[in-house]
Each structure stands twice: as C-alpha cells, then as structure tokens.
Amino acid sequence: MTDTSLPVDGLFEPFDVKSLHLRNRFAMAPMTRMFSPEGIPGADVAEYYRRRAAGGVGLIITEGTYIPDPAAGPDTSVPRHYGDASLSGWKAVVEAVHGAGGQIIPQLWHLGVGRGDKPTLNPDVASVSPSGLALDGTESGRALSAPDLEALRDSWVSAAVNAKATGFDGIELHGAHGYLLDQFFWERTNLRTDGYGGSLEARVRFPAEVVAAIREAVGPDFAIVYRYSQWKASDYQARIASTPNELTRILTPLVEAGVDVLHPSTRRHWQPAFPELSGTDGELGLAGWTKKVSGLPAITVGSVGLDKEFTPGAGRGDSGVAGIDRLLKQHANGEFDVVAVGRALLADPEWVQKLHEGRSTDHIPFRQEHTQNLV
C-alpha cells in the first residue's frame, strides 16, 4: 500500500512559532552527510537543501554542524558553525532555501565521547564527556571540569548567535542519540557529584543552562528547537525516562529555560513510548507524550513513508515505500505538530509535493546508494 486512504490536508496547514512561519507541517530530518570539505558547505550542499525546499518541504533541519569547541566532532568533512568560510557557505545555503520558499534551521552538534579516540579533526585534543565514560561505561577521553562547562556554554551560544546573524530562521540543539547533551541526561554516562549529576533534575541542569544562555543571547523571538531521544546509537533499548513522570521532570527545565519546540527522535514514529501503561496511554507515541507533559509543539520522526526502520551507520539497507495512514491518525489525534521526513527525502526530493498532489504512488523507494551522493 503506497497511497493513503485518509485526507492529508491537515499536514498542509501553516505552522507558526516565534521566528518560524512554516507553509506546511513537513520538515526535513537532520541527516549527517559529510560532504563539506574542511567543514565548509559548498554550492552542492546549498543545491541539495534547495531541492528539498523546492519539493515542498516547509522546514529544513540541517545535518549536524559542529559548534566552536575543538572536541565537538571527529570528521573534517562535517560542516562547522564557526569561521568565516563555513558561515559564508551556510549563508548561501540559507539564501537558496529561502529562495525556494522554505525555512531552515541548523542542528548544532557536539558529539562528546561519541567523537571517539581517533578523530581526524583536532586529533591532539581529547574527547570529553560528563564523566569520562563511553556509552558502554568504559573509560574514554576525559571528564569535563567546571571551567570546561562554562566554555562549552559559550561555544553553544556562539554557534546560536552565528546562526541568527547568518539568516537562519531558528536553531535546533542536538540533545539526542548519546551525544554530549544526552550524555548528561543518561545515568549510565553521568556519574558526576558536583551538582550536574545524581538526581534526574541535576542531570538536566547543564543542558537547561545551555538553553537559557542561548535564549538570553538570541532574544525572546528566535525559535529554539531541542532534539532528544530515549535510544542511543549503541543501545536501541536505552531510556532516559522510564515513566511519563520522569519525562516531565526532564522536559520541564528545558521548557522553563526557553525551548519553543521539542523534537523527540524515534526510529518508528508509531511506536508507543510507554507500552506498559494501560488503555490509550499505552498506545501514545513519544511525540504525543512530549506534547502532553510539556505543553509545547512537538516534531515527530521515524521511518515516515518507508517500510523499514532507520538503523544508524553502515548497512542501513534498502526500504520500500509505505503509506502514512498511521501518521495521519496521530496528527488527527493531536499527537504532533510537525513531521520530520528523513530517508524518504534522500530518495525523493519531491516526496512532499507528490503527496500533496495525490501522487504518492510515484514515491521513490529508499536505496542505500542514496547516501553515497549529495543530490
């Protein structure tokens, strides 16, 4: 079944929050591409994003882009959000997307211990994390000191200020998948005893401080999106919140610090967040729970339009086209405000336009080869 039997009109209504004024409810999910030599996005990157905006996407969320900390990430071909050359490249991307009728926000990224111990970018700089622990609990890199935390806050702020000055329509902070901000949330990687670790509220403290510092720097009207997840790249069963109450305790400080939209990352958008609960609560996805406990708009994501779930890294494999009836039911139930489409847009830049025109039978299946080129 590649077509949908439910009306899609609701997904083509405008959406507004702060500086974001979207023509519809579709976003391009952030997907690391590594086609920016020396961290500089070129004309091919601008065209890549422009094509998706021209194909009907309301909001482009860029691939992760490194904040100005020397230990932010390992690869020289991942774009950076600092330096004149990189920011000039991003300005061209922004202008291309705006010219095609879309809006665009950068995903600001620090991998923390996920950077590994053999980086090609700044190889003499040690990787950092809350407690000097890798995701599997082994020692790796070094633990962040109190002065380190202050410098890191400044780096996040600098990247956000750069984004606003470059003409982006907001920002997204990458706090998911076991990267640095998520490493503070997770009790397995945060063993600190200095007020930034221990209780759930203490583990959320540093990410909330980053948000608050950015809010102060960019002003009240510049949209801040925060991406978080239960799962880690190394552990699909991981949870930072085992109950809705714990989820509330995580998200509330972020809301109070100034987040405008939450982007809970899941591998299957329809999967229940807390299936152990009874009744309809046990059927609600993570985006639905996010809206329910935070009161903020939510972006849903995960295998939209495809029949196989996302698997990070090599060997993701091909996926056939699937209908979106489950997504439409979730939207009709008020479970999310915006839907992020990932691999389906790599395969088919006109995926949104085809859906709008009733041509979903023309959607192009995702193939692994779509990750090999920037088209």
Side-chain angles (χ1 to χ4, degrees):
M1 178 80 175
T2 58
D3 217 332
T4 176
S5 60
L6 296 175
V8 300
D9 296 359
L11 294 179
F12 288 92
E13 295 176 353
F15 175 74
D16 294 274
V17 59
K18 297 273 182 87
S19 54
L20 293 177
H21 306 286
L22 310 185
R23 57 186 171 182
N24 59 39
R25 304 305 181 98
F26 290 97
M28 181 178 183
M31 292 172 283
T32 298
R33 301 309 312 276
M34 296 193 293
F35 284 96
S36 297
E38 300 306 313
I40 303 169
D44 55 344
V45 175
E47 176 61 13
Y48 161 74
Y49 287 122
R50 187 205 67 79
R51 287 188 68 194
R52 275 73 191 172
V57 175
L59 176 65
I60 302 293
I61 308 175
T62 76
E63 62 205 285
T65 175
Y66 293 157
I67 68 172
D69 178 78
D75 295 299
T76 59
S77 57
V78 168
R80 303 167 200 170
H81 223 74
Y82 58 93
D84 291 344
S86 293
L87 295 176
S88 178
W90 279 123
K91 185 174 179 60
V93 173
V94 169
E95 291 174 349
V97 169
H98 285 168
Q103 291 203 298
I104 181 169
I105 62 176
Q107 186 187 69
L108 305 182
W109 193 22
H110 194 304
L111 279 76
V113 74
R115 176 173 177 259
D117 58 4
K118 295 180 180 179
T120 55
L121 177 62
N122 301 324
D124 296 330
V125 175
S127 294
V128 297
S129 65
S131 302
L133 298 175
L135 297 184
D136 63 2
T138 60
E139 293 186 4
S140 181
R142 66 177 182 83
L144 290 159
S145 67
D148 288 334
L149 295 182
E150 184 174 352
L152 268 175
R153 280 194 295 272
D154 291 343
S155 293
W156 286 100
V157 168
S158 177
V161 169
N162 287 342
K164 185 175 181 180
T166 302
F168 282 96
D169 300 296
I171 59 167
E172 174 171 280
L173 305 181
H174 198 341
H177 305 168
Y179 297 126
L180 181 63
L181 295 177
D182 192 30
Q183 289 160 28
F184 277 88
F185 285 166
W186 203 24
E187 60 185 0
R188 286 176 55 181
T189 49
N190 184 350
L191 305 182
R192 299 177 72 96
T193 59
D194 64 349
Y196 290 98
S199 69
L200 191 53
E201 286 76 10
R203 298 200 305 272
V204 180
R205 179 182 170 191
F206 179 69
E209 287 183 351
V210 168
V211 172
I214 290 173
R215 173 55 70 209
E216 182 177 3
V218 300
D221 298 324
F222 195 61
I224 299 176
V225 181
Y226 195 100
R227 194 178 212 206
Y228 80 95
S229 68
Q230 297 271 39
W231 64 276
K232 319 301 170 198
S234 62
D235 185 353
Y236 294 154
Q237 306 307 313
R239 283 185 169 191
I240 56 172
S242 297
T243 66
N245 176 262
E246 289 185 353
L247 184 63
T248 303
R249 291 164 61 195
I250 290 170
L251 298 182
T252 296
L254 300 176
V255 174
E256 293 174 345
V259 167
D260 299 301
V261 181
L262 288 160
H263 184 180
S265 177
T266 61
R267 296 174 62 237
R268 309 171 187 88
H269 68 84
W270 61 87
Q271 189 172 37
F274 303 106
E276 61 276 10
L277 299 179
S278 60
T280 56
D281 280 354
E283 300 173 2
L284 198 60
L286 189 58
W289 273 111
T290 296
K291 284 197 67 174
K292 186 172 183 176
V293 305
S294 73
L296 290 186
I299 301 174
T300 195
V301 70
S303 305
V304 175
L306 299 176
D307 62 6
K308 291 184 180 177
E309 68 270 19
F310 167 66
T311 302
R316 297 177 195 171
D318 299 344
S319 180
V321 174
I324 61 166
D325 277 0
R326 285 181 293 191
L327 181 76
L328 293 170
K329 290 177 181 176
Q330 287 176 313
H331 187 249
N333 290 335
E335 293 188 34
F336 67 89
D337 300 274
V338 174
V339 54
V341 183
R343 292 168 295 147
L345 279 173
L346 290 186
D348 192 347
E350 297 178 348
W351 190 92
V352 173
Q353 182 175 332
K354 289 176 181 178
L355 181 69
H356 197 200
E357 295 174 352
R359 297 189 293 123
S360 58
T361 52
D362 294 336
H363 282 153
I364 300 171
F366 173 78
R367 298 290 179 259
Q368 181 65 26
E369 64 193 49
H370 291 129
T371 67
Q372 306 305 310
N373 300 289
L374 198 65
V375 295

